[in-house]
Amino acid sequence: MAAFVKSYGLQLVDRSGKEFDVQQLTAADVIAFYFSAHWCPPCRSFTPLLKKFYETLHAHGERSLKIIFVSSDQSEHDMWKYVYDSHGDWLALKFSSELKDRLSRQFQVSGIPQLIVIDGVGRQAVRDARAEVMAATSSTQVLTTYLGWKSSAGASSAPQEVSSGLLAPGSRVKIRGLQSKPENNGLEGVVQSFDNSQRRYVVNIADRPLSLKPSNLLQIVQLRVRGPEPEDPWQEAELKDLDEASGEFLCALPDREVRLRLGPRVHVNAGAVVAVHGLQNESAKQWNEQNGKVSDFDEATQRYSILMSGGTCLKIKVDNLRLCPLT
């Protein structure tokens, strides 16, 4: 994939318009060309779905998909307005590139939108990627679909891929429960990496790295919160702190802070790492006190989909997960 892009001599830019060095692409990246334009009604319908697909992958620590927008807009101004108004944080072929028509011919693009996932020699690796994106209506389906793309494209496993049970690099955390250096409790930091030999995270706090156990970290994750009445709307909130005595989370809404427990009024967004506990089913007990990642929430059954190691997906009640402490 990356070798094809490099050999083609494509001039790429990022979402800010800055030139992108194609040498940054690796054999672990999956390349998808997105042929589209703002004037095209089907494109305007599909682009938000592709953006959600892309952002769902990022929320789960999967950052190997590289989308390259190939514009059929009528002017460069129209192209950038389309990018800023509707696109995700992906790459674009320069509007003035003479290779646009050549790419269209190579992939037999007769209409837009078209999403072309390529393999290592530049052949189309997925028969109908657009249809697969449209069919992936849950986080689990997005991840399953993308694993299929990686296999079809022949992308090598990236050494930096994050396990389902680990906080991704860049995750924001709050330090808690330290006995040896209590002055750090309450400070916020950013996860740099995970030391598997020590089973500790390296957390950067004001340019100072600390090695910390998972149990000493509270994720600052996004939640969905609503009022006590069924007609109350859902609101986005950020988890700020945990009250050990009551078990309540301090959640920051746009206009106020509230204390709530996880439950029907508080849902954890996809991407959060949780610890599984209290499972009684004999086939599921093995997952108790292990970490997994939230994939989706089913309103009808009030069950979370939790991705565990090895690709296992558990459907569990809120009572069987906890955000803190992790194991």
Side-chain angles (χ1 to χ4, degrees), residues 174-179 185-186 214-219 239-250 259-261 322-326:
K174 177 171 282 190
I175 314 304
R176 59 182 297 279
L178 287 179
Q179 300 294 322
N185 289 328
S215 57
N216 292 122
L217 302 177
L218 173 68
Q219 301 164 80
L239 187 152
K240 302 295 292 185
D241 210 345
L242 169 65
D243 185 326
E244 293 278 6
S246 67
E248 294 178 328
F249 291 104
L250 178 64
R259 290 179 178 272
L260 295 168
R261 295 175 181 271
R322 64 171 186 262
L323 281 167
C324 186
L326 297 178

CSV table of all heavy atoms in Angstrom, one decimal, residues 174-179 185-186 214-219 239-250 259-261 322-326:
chain,number,residue,atom,x,y,z
A,174,LYS,N,-6.1,10.8,35.4
A,174,LYS,CA,-5.8,11.5,36.6
A,174,LYS,C,-5.2,10.5,37.6
A,174,LYS,O,-5.6,9.3,37.7
A,174,LYS,CB,-7.1,12.0,37.2
A,174,LYS,CG,-7.0,12.7,38.5
A,174,LYS,CD,-8.3,13.4,39.0
A,174,LYS,CE,-8.5,14.7,38.3
A,174,LYS,NZ,-9.6,15.5,38.8
A,175,ILE,N,-4.2,11.0,38.3
A,175,ILE,CA,-3.4,10.1,39.2
A,175,ILE,C,-4.2,10.0,40.6
A,175,ILE,O,-4.7,11.0,41.1
A,175,ILE,CB,-2.0,10.7,39.5
A,175,ILE,CG1,-1.3,11.1,38.2
A,175,ILE,CG2,-1.2,9.7,40.3
A,175,ILE,CD1,-1.2,10.0,37.2
A,176,ARG,N,-4.3,8.8,41.1
A,176,ARG,CA,-5.0,8.6,42.3
A,176,ARG,C,-4.4,7.4,43.1
A,176,ARG,O,-3.7,6.5,42.6
A,176,ARG,CB,-6.5,8.2,42.0
A,176,ARG,CG,-6.6,7.0,41.1
A,176,ARG,CD,-8.0,6.6,40.7
A,176,ARG,NE,-8.8,6.3,41.9
A,176,ARG,CZ,-8.8,5.1,42.5
A,176,ARG,NH1,-8.0,4.2,42.1
A,176,ARG,NH2,-9.6,4.9,43.5
A,177,GLY,N,-4.6,7.5,44.4
A,177,GLY,CA,-4.2,6.4,45.3
A,177,GLY,C,-2.8,6.1,45.5
A,177,GLY,O,-2.4,5.0,46.0
A,178,LEU,N,-1.9,7.0,45.2
A,178,LEU,CA,-0.4,6.8,45.4
A,178,LEU,C,-0.1,6.9,46.8
A,178,LEU,O,-0.5,7.8,47.5
A,178,LEU,CB,0.4,7.8,44.6
A,178,LEU,CG,0.5,7.6,43.0
A,178,LEU,CD1,1.3,8.7,42.4
A,178,LEU,CD2,1.0,6.2,42.7
A,179,GLN,N,0.6,5.9,47.3
A,179,GLN,CA,1.1,5.9,48.7
A,179,GLN,C,2.5,6.5,48.9
A,179,GLN,O,2.8,7.2,49.8
A,179,GLN,CB,1.0,4.5,49.3
A,179,GLN,CG,-0.4,3.8,49.3
A,179,GLN,CD,-1.3,4.5,50.1
A,179,GLN,OE1,-1.0,4.9,51.2
A,179,GLN,NE2,-2.6,4.6,49.7
A,185,ASN,N,-1.1,12.7,43.6
A,185,ASN,CA,-2.5,12.4,43.5
A,185,ASN,C,-3.3,13.6,43.1
A,185,ASN,O,-3.1,14.7,43.6
A,185,ASN,CB,-3.0,11.9,44.9
A,185,ASN,CG,-2.5,10.5,45.2
A,185,ASN,OD1,-2.3,9.7,44.3
A,185,ASN,ND2,-2.3,10.2,46.4
A,186,GLY,N,-4.3,13.4,42.2
A,186,GLY,CA,-5.1,14.5,41.7
A,186,GLY,C,-4.5,15.2,40.4
A,186,GLY,O,-5.2,16.0,39.8
A,214,PRO,N,-1.9,0.4,36.7
A,214,PRO,CA,-3.2,0.7,36.2
A,214,PRO,C,-4.2,1.1,37.2
A,214,PRO,O,-5.0,2.0,37.0
A,214,PRO,CB,-3.6,-0.6,35.5
A,214,PRO,CG,-2.3,-1.3,35.1
A,214,PRO,CD,-1.4,-0.9,36.2
A,215,SER,N,-4.0,0.5,38.4
A,215,SER,CA,-5.0,0.9,39.5
A,215,SER,C,-4.8,2.3,40.0
A,215,SER,O,-5.7,2.8,40.8
A,215,SER,CB,-4.8,-0.1,40.7
A,215,SER,OG,-3.5,-0.1,41.1
A,216,ASN,N,-3.7,2.9,39.7
A,216,ASN,CA,-3.5,4.3,40.1
A,216,ASN,C,-3.9,5.4,39.1
A,216,ASN,O,-3.5,6.5,39.2
A,216,ASN,CB,-2.0,4.5,40.5
A,216,ASN,CG,-1.6,3.8,41.7
A,216,ASN,OD1,-0.7,3.0,41.7
A,216,ASN,ND2,-2.3,4.0,42.8
A,217,LEU,N,-4.7,4.9,38.1
A,217,LEU,CA,-5.1,5.8,37.0
A,217,LEU,C,-6.6,5.9,36.8
A,217,LEU,O,-7.2,4.8,36.9
A,217,LEU,CB,-4.4,5.4,35.7
A,217,LEU,CG,-2.9,5.3,35.6
A,217,LEU,CD1,-2.4,4.8,34.3
A,217,LEU,CD2,-2.3,6.7,35.9
A,218,LEU,N,-7.1,7.0,36.7
A,218,LEU,CA,-8.5,7.2,36.4
A,218,LEU,C,-8.6,7.8,35.0
A,218,LEU,O,-8.0,8.9,34.8
A,218,LEU,CB,-9.2,8.1,37.4
A,218,LEU,CG,-10.7,8.5,37.0
A,218,LEU,CD1,-11.6,7.3,37.1
A,218,LEU,CD2,-11.2,9.6,38.0
A,219,GLN,N,-9.2,7.1,34.0
A,219,GLN,CA,-9.3,7.7,32.7
A,219,GLN,C,-10.2,8.9,32.7
A,219,GLN,O,-11.3,8.9,33.3
A,219,GLN,CB,-9.9,6.7,31.7
A,219,GLN,CG,-9.2,5.4,31.6
A,219,GLN,CD,-10.1,4.3,31.0
A,219,GLN,OE1,-10.3,4.3,29.7
A,219,GLN,NE2,-10.7,3.5,31.8
A,239,LEU,N,-15.8,12.7,32.2
A,239,LEU,CA,-15.6,12.2,33.6
A,239,LEU,C,-14.4,12.9,34.2
A,239,LEU,O,-13.3,13.0,33.5
A,239,LEU,CB,-15.3,10.7,33.5
A,239,LEU,CG,-15.2,10.0,34.9
A,239,LEU,CD1,-15.6,8.5,34.7
A,239,LEU,CD2,-13.7,10.0,35.4
A,240,LYS,N,-14.5,13.5,35.3
A,240,LYS,CA,-13.5,14.3,35.9
A,240,LYS,C,-12.8,13.7,37.1
A,240,LYS,O,-11.7,13.9,37.4
A,240,LYS,CB,-14.0,15.7,36.3
A,240,LYS,CG,-14.6,16.5,35.1
A,240,LYS,CD,-13.6,16.8,34.1
A,240,LYS,CE,-12.6,17.9,34.6
A,240,LYS,NZ,-11.6,18.3,33.5
A,241,ASP,N,-13.7,13.0,37.9
A,241,ASP,CA,-13.1,12.4,39.2
A,241,ASP,C,-14.0,11.3,39.7
A,241,ASP,O,-15.2,11.2,39.3
A,241,ASP,CB,-13.0,13.6,40.2
A,241,ASP,CG,-11.8,13.3,41.2
A,241,ASP,OD1,-11.3,12.1,41.2
A,241,ASP,OD2,-11.4,14.2,41.9
A,242,LEU,N,-13.5,10.6,40.7
A,242,LEU,CA,-14.3,9.5,41.3
A,242,LEU,C,-14.3,9.7,42.8
A,242,LEU,O,-13.2,10.0,43.5
A,242,LEU,CB,-13.6,8.2,41.0
A,242,LEU,CG,-14.1,7.0,41.8
A,242,LEU,CD1,-15.5,6.7,41.5
A,242,LEU,CD2,-13.2,5.7,41.5
A,243,ASP,N,-15.5,9.7,43.4
A,243,ASP,CA,-15.6,9.8,44.9
A,243,ASP,C,-15.6,8.3,45.4
A,243,ASP,O,-16.5,7.6,45.2
A,243,ASP,CB,-17.0,10.4,45.2
A,243,ASP,CG,-17.1,10.6,46.7
A,243,ASP,OD1,-16.7,9.8,47.5
A,243,ASP,OD2,-17.8,11.7,47.1
A,244,GLU,N,-14.5,8.0,46.0
A,244,GLU,CA,-14.3,6.6,46.5
A,244,GLU,C,-15.4,6.2,47.5
A,244,GLU,O,-15.8,5.1,47.5
A,244,GLU,CB,-12.9,6.5,47.2
A,244,GLU,CG,-11.7,6.6,46.3
A,244,GLU,CD,-11.4,5.4,45.5
A,244,GLU,OE1,-12.2,4.4,45.7
A,244,GLU,OE2,-10.4,5.3,44.8
A,245,ALA,N,-15.8,7.1,48.4
A,245,ALA,CA,-16.7,6.8,49.4
A,245,ALA,C,-18.1,6.4,48.9
A,245,ALA,O,-18.7,5.4,49.3
A,245,ALA,CB,-16.8,7.9,50.4
A,246,SER,N,-18.6,7.2,47.9
A,246,SER,CA,-19.9,7.0,47.4
A,246,SER,C,-19.9,6.2,46.1
A,246,SER,O,-21.0,5.7,45.7
A,246,SER,CB,-20.6,8.4,47.1
A,246,SER,OG,-19.9,9.0,46.1
A,247,GLY,N,-18.8,6.1,45.4
A,247,GLY,CA,-18.7,5.4,44.2
A,247,GLY,C,-19.3,6.2,43.0
A,247,GLY,O,-19.5,5.7,41.9
A,248,GLU,N,-19.5,7.5,43.3
A,248,GLU,CA,-20.1,8.4,42.2
A,248,GLU,C,-19.0,9.0,41.4
A,248,GLU,O,-17.9,9.3,42.0
A,248,GLU,CB,-21.0,9.5,42.9
A,248,GLU,CG,-22.2,8.9,43.5
A,248,GLU,CD,-23.0,10.0,44.2
A,248,GLU,OE1,-22.4,11.0,44.6
A,248,GLU,OE2,-24.3,9.9,44.2
A,249,PHE,N,-19.2,9.3,40.1
A,249,PHE,CA,-18.3,10.0,39.3
A,249,PHE,C,-18.7,11.5,39.2
A,249,PHE,O,-19.9,11.8,39.1
A,249,PHE,CB,-18.3,9.4,37.9
A,249,PHE,CG,-17.7,8.0,37.8
A,249,PHE,CD1,-18.5,6.9,37.7
A,249,PHE,CD2,-16.3,7.9,37.9
A,249,PHE,CE1,-17.9,5.6,37.6
A,249,PHE,CE2,-15.7,6.6,37.8
A,249,PHE,CZ,-16.5,5.5,37.7
A,250,LEU,N,-17.7,12.3,39.2
A,250,LEU,CA,-17.9,13.7,38.9
A,250,LEU,C,-17.9,13.9,37.4
A,250,LEU,O,-16.9,13.7,36.8
A,250,LEU,CB,-16.9,14.6,39.6
A,250,LEU,CG,-17.0,16.1,39.4
A,250,LEU,CD1,-18.3,16.7,40.0
A,250,LEU,CD2,-15.8,16.8,40.0
A,259,ARG,N,-22.8,14.7,40.0
A,259,ARG,CA,-22.3,13.4,40.5
A,259,ARG,C,-23.3,12.3,40.2
A,259,ARG,O,-24.4,12.4,40.5
A,259,ARG,CB,-22.1,13.5,42.0
A,259,ARG,CG,-20.9,14.5,42.4
A,259,ARG,CD,-20.8,14.5,43.9
A,259,ARG,NE,-19.6,15.4,44.2
A,259,ARG,CZ,-18.4,14.9,44.4
A,259,ARG,NH1,-18.1,13.7,44.2
A,259,ARG,NH2,-17.4,15.8,44.7
A,260,LEU,N,-22.8,11.3,39.5
A,260,LEU,CA,-23.7,10.2,39.0
A,260,LEU,C,-22.9,8.9,39.0
A,260,LEU,O,-21.7,8.8,38.9
A,260,LEU,CB,-24.2,10.5,37.6
A,260,LEU,CG,-25.0,11.7,37.3
A,260,LEU,CD1,-25.2,12.0,35.9
A,260,LEU,CD2,-26.4,11.5,38.0
A,261,ARG,N,-23.7,7.8,39.1
A,261,ARG,CA,-23.2,6.5,38.9
A,261,ARG,C,-23.4,6.0,37.5
A,261,ARG,O,-24.3,6.5,36.9
A,261,ARG,CB,-23.8,5.5,39.9
A,261,ARG,CG,-23.6,5.8,41.4
A,261,ARG,CD,-24.4,4.8,42.2
A,261,ARG,NE,-24.2,5.0,43.6
A,261,ARG,CZ,-23.3,4.4,44.4
A,261,ARG,NH1,-22.4,3.6,43.8
A,261,ARG,NH2,-23.1,4.7,45.7
A,322,ARG,N,-16.3,-1.8,35.4
A,322,ARG,CA,-15.9,-0.7,36.2
A,322,ARG,C,-14.8,0.1,35.5
A,322,ARG,O,-14.0,-0.5,34.8
A,322,ARG,CB,-15.4,-1.0,37.6
A,322,ARG,CG,-14.2,-1.9,37.6
A,322,ARG,CD,-13.6,-2.1,39.1
A,322,ARG,NE,-12.3,-2.8,39.0
A,322,ARG,CZ,-12.2,-4.0,39.3
A,322,ARG,NH1,-13.2,-4.8,39.5
A,322,ARG,NH2,-11.0,-4.6,39.2
A,323,LEU,N,-14.9,1.4,35.6
A,323,LEU,CA,-13.9,2.3,35.0
A,323,LEU,C,-12.6,2.4,35.8
A,323,LEU,O,-11.5,2.7,35.3
A,323,LEU,CB,-14.5,3.6,34.7
A,323,LEU,CG,-15.4,3.8,33.5
A,323,LEU,CD1,-16.2,5.1,33.6
A,323,LEU,CD2,-14.6,3.7,32.3
A,324,CYS,N,-12.8,2.2,37.1
A,324,CYS,CA,-11.6,2.4,38.0
A,324,CYS,C,-11.9,1.6,39.3
A,324,CYS,O,-13.0,1.6,39.8
A,324,CYS,CB,-11.5,3.9,38.3
A,324,CYS,SG,-10.0,4.3,39.3
A,325,PRO,N,-10.9,0.8,39.8
A,325,PRO,CA,-9.6,0.7,39.2
A,325,PRO,C,-9.5,-0.3,38.1
A,325,PRO,O,-10.3,-1.3,38.1
A,325,PRO,CB,-8.7,0.2,40.4
A,325,PRO,CG,-9.7,-0.6,41.2
A,325,PRO,CD,-11.0,0.1,41.1
A,326,LEU,N,-8.6,-0.1,37.2
A,326,LEU,CA,-8.3,-1.1,36.2
A,326,LEU,C,-7.4,-2.2,36.8
A,326,LEU,O,-6.8,-2.0,37.9
A,326,LEU,CB,-7.6,-0.5,35.0
A,326,LEU,CG,-8.4,0.6,34.2
A,326,LEU,CD1,-7.6,1.2,33.1
A,326,LEU,CD2,-9.7,-0.1,33.6
